[in-house]
Amino acid sequence: FLLNDLLSFSDITALAPMVRVGTLPMRLLALDYGADVVYCEELIDIKMVQCQRVVNEVLETVDFVAPDDRVMFRTCKREKDRVVFQMGGMGAALLSDPDKIEAVSSSTMLEETISLVQRIEKTGVTAIAVHGRFKEERPRHPVHCDYIQAVAQAISIPVIANGGSLDLVKTNSDIEEFRKATGTSSVMLARAAMWNASVFTRQGPLPVEKVMEEYLKYAIRYDNNAFNTKYCLCQMLRDKVESPLGKQVQAAQTNADISEAYGLQDFYQQTLEQLQTRRGALQSSSQPDRPIMDGDVTTMAVKFERREYPPQITPKMFLLEWSRKEKLEQPQYETVQRSQDRAFQSTVTVAEKKYRSSLWEKSKKFAEQAAAIVCLRILGIPEGRIGEEDSGLVCKRKREGRMNGTTEEDVSKKRHVADILHSTETSEPTVVANGDGHKPTTPEKPPESPEQLTL
């Protein structure tokens, strides 16, 4: 695609594309500190074409969501006309020229490199970024500024110098020195920005502790995947990753855990409440979140969002514990599968009353969780969401159980949580049927381990 009318690549400083790093929080942070252009992490074309574009009104973002509900790319208005969507690796112009792709892979001669970029220039590209290392070299090797300079002198379009983070760019003033040494129009930074994004500001770099806090606030605000948040923070910690703070970050399982490590619990809770308020307002304005009777079944439009619950906690667990406390029969789930798209819908029976979500889910397990949510909300029972006040319905030992402990007490915790989940997922009678004739089919094999976070 052409960016001529949207982005200028002359005299800019850019955040380079980095796997697992160039997600929305890091891009916004780089823009705050002075980057002119930000690249997203490299995304695979075959995966992107399978995604659905979703306008996320709660987060005020546009999401590209994979069939397994993973958010592959998220963007917002703040980075409009400043973000480069990085897809593939060789560029569309090379895909029709296998011989040239082979040449790129094997070339180490400057003349061949110059010949290649001159041919690329003729295809009409806006700019070319040059990472000043040969194929066999690694980031630990010095960057070849003279080779980048030779490329810049050989073509007329802007050249963006890359690869100076190791030995040349430590502070903001070093960026201009790198630009001069390579004779390029612009500079992009990868590791130097990953370690401390404030390198983009004239006063940079700032203390990394402050930078990490600002990054984490963006991660919370935009509901970034917790494991991605943790990965980026660990890169910023660098040699302090084994410090007490580093160990606490590594042990974290949710953004709430990470917030606690950095003393941002209040910010996390306030942001969560704001998002929940916005979600509630949107639901009430678009589709009333109120129960509707469908025959003898009470229904509500509810979807199960795994990220809204701690790793070891589910609504089904809360409903089961409440039923036991009230000395009721165990909840029973009946699930049907719609033939046209293989989606699932479940009905749960509790105290001889039936509850169901009117929305269809991607799996039997999610459909049962949605039915449990409807029942819990109708009855006014807590469901275990992150940020929800502790009701005491599920004891603290179950809520805080971790699956990576080594002590005898931890082993006991793991067994208890596994028993609860196993009972929740397998002990209720369940019928799986198709959506046409509701004929029973073979039930799904129960999971052998507790549910994992669905991203």
Side-chain angles (χ1 to χ4, degrees), residues 305-443:
E305 299 288 349
R306 189 65 186 91
R307 73 183 75 183
E308 295 181 359
Y309 300 85
Q312 318 313 340
I313 298 296
T314 66
K316 286 183 65 177
M317 178 187 294
F318 267 67
L319 184 56
L320 177 63
E321 291 295 309
W322 178 82
S323 299
R324 289 173 173 171
K325 181 180 177 182
E326 297 296 319
K327 296 184 168 55
L328 298 173
E329 290 186 7
Q330 189 169 292
Q332 297 184 12
Y333 295 85
E334 183 176 348
T335 305
V336 297
Q337 184 176 22
R338 193 163 55 186
S339 58
Q340 59 265 39
D341 60 1
R342 303 186 66 79
F344 294 84
Q345 190 177 62
S346 185
T347 301
V348 61
T349 301
V350 177
E352 299 183 352
K353 293 185 178 181
K354 297 179 180 181
Y355 306 87
R356 179 176 66 225
S357 172
S358 59
L359 306 179
W360 293 73
E361 292 279 4
K362 64 179 183 179
S363 70
K364 170 180 174 287
K365 184 163 56 177
F366 274 40
E368 290 178 351
Q369 297 291 359
I373 293 173
V374 173
C375 180
L376 291 166
R377 291 183 184 178
I378 294 295
L379 297 177
I381 304 168
E383 59 192 75
R385 291 169 65 168
I386 294 173
E388 191 177 84
E389 184 177 350
D390 185 8
S391 64
L393 189 59
V394 174
C395 69
K396 185 177 181 181
R397 185 172 65 168
K398 295 174 189 172
R399 293 181 67 90
E400 297 182 353
R402 288 292 182 265
M403 304 309 293
N404 57 355
T406 56
T407 66
E408 182 177 348
E409 182 180 358
D410 288 334
V411 171
S412 175
K413 289 180 183 179
K414 289 191 288 183
R415 287 174 178 168
H416 189 80
V417 171
D419 288 343
I420 290 292
L421 286 172
H422 182 75
S423 175
T424 305
E425 301 294 345
T426 65
S427 58
E428 306 104 14
T430 304
V431 175
V432 180
N434 62 40
D436 296 326
H438 287 198
K439 297 177 182 178
T441 60
T442 304

Side-chain angles (χ1 to χ4, degrees), residues 6-35:
L6 300 178
L7 288 176
S8 170
F9 289 92
S10 297
D11 194 28
I12 64 153
T13 305
L15 175 71
M18 289 179 281
V19 175
R20 289 187 289 178
V21 175
T23 48
L24 183 59
M26 183 63 76
R27 299 198 305 268
L28 295 178
L29 189 66
L31 289 174
D32 284 351
Y33 283 126

Side-chain angles (χ1 to χ4, degrees), residues 64-91:
F64 288 81
V65 184
D68 61 359
D69 279 354
R70 286 186 301 162
V71 177
M72 302 301 295
F73 177 71
R74 170 170 286 163
T75 186
C76 67
K77 187 176 180 180
R78 168 76 174 85
E79 63 176 1
K80 184 180 180 181
D81 298 341
R82 307 284 292 278
V83 62
V84 176
F85 185 83
Q86 176 80 3
M87 186 165 64
M90 298 300 297

Side-chain angles (χ1 to χ4, degrees), residues 103 106-116 134 136 147 151:
S106 60
S107 173
T108 58
M109 300 300 293
L110 178 59
E111 293 79 6
E112 295 180 8
T113 301
I114 291 176
S115 175
L116 172 62
F134 297 125
E136 66 275 7
Y147 274 54
V151 171

